[in-house]
Amino acid sequence: MRRLESIALVSAAYPPHTSGGIEVQTYDLAHALSSEGVDVTVFCGGAKVPKLIREHENLKIFRMPMADAPPRVVWFQLQNLEILRRTLPNYDIVHSQHSSGSIYGLFKEKIGKPWVVSFHDHQLRRLTVFFDVKPWNLSLGDIMYYTFGCPLFEFLTKMELKWADHYIACGESGFRDYVKFSKMDPAKTTVIPNGINLEKIRSIIRSAKEYENSEEKDDFMIFTCGRLYASKGIQYLLKAMPHVIKRFQNVQLKIFGKGPLYSYLQGLIRSLKLKNNVTLEGHVPYKQLISEMNKSDLAVFPSMVEVGASLAVMEAMACHKAVVAFNYPFSLEIIEHLKTGYLVPPKNVNAVAKAICVLIEDETLRKKLGENAYCNVVRNHDSKNVVKKYLEVYSNVLSMQN
């Protein structure tokens, strides 16, 4: 069997230029692969002119221009098409991290290198959110995405399923969606649950503690983060907060992230009279995000669509935090109710409020869920272990080419 020596990871964004979990996943996978002795080059945006940066011995970052307009992942590849055509033949395997967005299939035959695609949440699953929320909860960006973006991404998904040599589904629920909606071939698919770099998170926490004030805080801190789209369900968390504050006045909620729903959420905070208890923190650097997560008492992620096990949920678990989430199939891949987290019926504001109040009141339960959650991610989602499944996929793909 031919040994994997080099791999090209194609991801429009890469830290510190991030907008979501895929970029963090790319970072962790790239570092895990390079630690296994594989030469990795990440092709991403973030530079006005193309430049190659050596991050360490086996890891290089090829930063290229990227238009700041949706669909960014498509424009990024079109802008840099000649560079990609010229350089990708130098690698054993091309791995596209952005499903429903790769155009490598258009020139794969000419380059002749095997192609692996990571498939995340299905576009038609995202489309259900459009019919699942009140119209006034949708921003113009949401509407543009659902009406114009979905057909484009569905077309690209079909191209990926036709031309890719192997598919990686990032969760069981996502895999079932692709089989159901797009007839994904199970024989060409490997389900690999998302992983996180636990040592990276531990290092951030250790560094942050050196500068943190050790004084006791009076307020109970609730944390959430994510792109501010309707599918993230932040509106349900905000609507639950008046019920929580009625019982516990010293509760503070910090919301980290940016997106088209920002103005709507600002208005909702004002109308619900939450400005003394809720702050929209915007986008912050990753290290600061993890530090804030670690300082919180509770994490709440009311998302309605995720890519299998949510990276944000796993990061909170790595910080020993109890997590409240909606009871969807993707949540069940990481959370067992009252063992590794607290699940509530989807979009049920009263249930969200009740869960938060229970965990504020019951510190013993909160700490037990946090510790169990931490053990869960250490056992099942450490990228050092998850990477071995990727290496097995790459080896099998290479052997089929010979």
Side-chain angles (χ1 to χ4, degrees), residues 129-183:
V129 176
F130 185 84
F131 303 102
D132 216 20
V133 300
K134 301 290 191 296
W136 50 86
N137 286 346
L138 293 169
S139 68
L140 179 60
D142 282 318
I143 294 169
M144 293 291 288
Y145 173 85
Y146 290 123
T147 54
F148 297 106
C150 276
L152 169 64
F153 292 132
E154 181 61 16
F155 167 76
L156 292 171
T157 295
K158 290 179 179 177
M159 184 172 71
E160 290 165 341
L161 289 171
K162 180 178 180 181
W163 294 107
D165 296 283
H166 201 82
Y167 324 129
I168 293 174
C170 296
E172 287 288 346
S173 59
F175 169 62
R176 290 193 293 269
D177 282 343
Y178 275 100
V179 171
K180 176 181 177 181
F181 295 126
S182 298
K183 310 300 184 215

Side-chain angles (χ1 to χ4, degrees), residues 256-318:
F256 293 88
K258 62 181 181 179
L261 217 60
Y262 189 90
S263 297
Y264 168 77
L265 295 178
Q266 277 186 317
L268 192 57
I269 290 169
R270 286 193 298 268
S271 66
L272 294 173
K273 298 180 172 55
L274 294 172
K275 62 181 181 179
N276 293 327
N277 298 86
V278 178
T279 53
L280 287 169
E281 301 285 345
H283 177 79
V284 299
Y286 183 76
K287 289 183 179 180
Q288 183 181 343
L289 186 75
I290 297 300
S291 178
E292 291 286 345
M293 186 183 285
N294 186 59
K295 288 189 293 185
S296 68
D297 298 292
L298 178 67
V300 182
F301 298 102
S303 181
M304 294 179 281
V305 180
E306 284 297 342
V307 294
S310 161
L311 290 179
V313 168
M314 289 191 290
E315 286 162 346
M317 289 178 162

Side-chain angles (χ1 to χ4, degrees), residues 129-240:
V129 176
F130 185 84
F131 303 102
D132 216 20
V133 300
K134 301 290 191 296
W136 50 86
N137 286 346
L138 293 169
S139 68
L140 179 60
D142 282 318
I143 294 169
M144 293 291 288
Y145 173 85
Y146 290 123
T147 54
F148 297 106
C150 276
L152 169 64
F153 292 132
E154 181 61 16
F155 167 76
L156 292 171
T157 295
K158 290 179 179 177
M159 184 172 71
E160 290 165 341
L161 289 171
K162 180 178 180 181
W163 294 107
D165 296 283
H166 201 82
Y167 324 129
I168 293 174
C170 296
E172 287 288 346
S173 59
F175 169 62
R176 290 193 293 269
D177 282 343
Y178 275 100
V179 171
K180 176 181 177 181
F181 295 126
S182 298
K183 310 300 184 215
M184 174 183 272
D185 183 0
K188 291 177 64 176
T189 309
T190 302
V191 178
I192 303 180
N194 288 331
I196 57 172
N197 187 328
L198 286 170
E199 184 50 44
K200 174 185 68 176
I201 293 173
R202 292 178 186 129
S203 176
I204 293 170
I205 292 171
R206 285 194 299 267
S207 298
K209 282 182 177 178
E210 295 178 11
Y211 302 100
E212 284 177 10
N213 193 324
S214 60
E215 292 181 7
E216 289 290 325
K217 57 186 177 65
D218 295 324
D219 292 332
F220 186 94
M221 302 301 299
I222 300 174
F223 174 97
T224 193
C225 67
R227 284 176 285 185
L228 302 183
Y229 288 89
S231 61
K232 291 298 181 182
I234 304 296
Q235 60 272 21
Y236 298 106
L237 174 56
L238 285 178
K239 290 173 183 178

Side-chain angles (χ1 to χ4, degrees), residues 15 18 20-29 200 286 311 315:
T18 60
I22 294 175
E23 295 83 54
V24 175
Q25 185 192 53
T26 303
Y27 177 95
D28 289 348
L29 176 59
K200 174 185 68 176
Y286 183 76
L311 290 179
E315 286 162 346

Side-chain angles (χ1 to χ4, degrees), residues 2 41 73 89 97 154 179 250 268 301 390:
R2 181 182 166 191
T41 301
V73 61
Q97 281 291 90
E154 181 61 16
V179 171
N250 66 329
L268 192 57
F301 298 102
Y390 281 91

Side-chain angles (χ1 to χ4, degrees), residues 311-346:
L311 290 179
V313 168
M314 289 191 290
E315 286 162 346
M317 289 178 162
C319 294
H320 301 257
K321 302 304 169 186
V323 171
V324 177
F326 285 148
N327 191 349
Y328 283 111
F330 59 81
S331 300
L332 294 171
E333 296 184 34
I334 185 81
I335 298 174
E336 186 176 356
H337 182 53
L338 294 182
K339 290 193 176 179
T340 57
Y342 200 121
L343 296 174
V344 299

